[in-house]
Amino acid sequence: MESVCERMEDYGERTDPSTNRKSYIRVMSRIGEAMDLSEATLDSRVTSSLKFACETIVEHHEDEIIEFFAYEVDNVKDKLCSKRTDLCDHALNIPHDEL
């Protein structure tokens, strides 16, 4: 759990041109392959904000996270995001392969 938020450095910010909604996209592949960065903004402030948010979530919900992975719970994203917390009810229909 100590290093889980280090991966936030692998993300950049993307702004949807039609809605101006910001989202975060992977800018570094897990296996070192080149990725399309044309829609990503790479900014150390974004990385710092993501890392801080991750650390805060892990700090507040560490027991739940460990429990879900220890018991190999199905649909970890759904259970953590809405059943145990209210962190991301709005995003349950968006695929999150990171969990």
Side-chain angles (χ1 to χ4, degrees):
M1 292 303 291
E2 297 298 322
S3 64
V4 69
C5 295
E6 297 300 319
R7 292 185 180 155
M8 296 298 101
E9 295 175 359
D10 296 347
Y11 290 84
E13 187 174 67
R14 176 188 178 274
T15 303
D16 184 311
S18 62
T19 64
N20 262 356
R21 182 182 167 122
K22 294 181 188 272
S23 60
Y24 302 98
I25 59 173
R26 183 173 276 283
V27 296
M28 183 179 299
S29 99
R30 291 184 181 159
I31 57 174
E33 293 179 357
M35 297 186 70
D36 178 10
L37 304 180
S38 62
E39 295 185 7
T41 301
L42 305 176
D43 185 335
S44 62
R45 291 173 296 179
V46 169
T47 300
S48 295
S49 293
L50 283 173
K51 186 174 179 185
F52 179 76
C54 177
E55 289 168 345
T56 301
I57 291 167
V58 168
E59 181 179 321
H60 287 101
H61 302 287
E62 184 172 9
D63 293 339
E64 289 92 344
I65 294 168
I66 291 171
E67 176 186 338
F68 289 145
F69 285 103
Y71 294 107
E72 297 181 15
V73 173
D74 291 332
N75 301 314
V76 170
K77 173 191 61 126
D78 294 345
K79 288 188 172 66
L80 180 64
C81 287
S82 72
K83 305 280 191 275
R84 287 304 250 313
T85 72
D86 60 356
L87 291 171
C88 46
D89 286 341
H90 65 283
L92 287 177
N93 296 322
I94 300 171
H96 295 286
D97 297 330
E98 298 308 308
L99 289 178

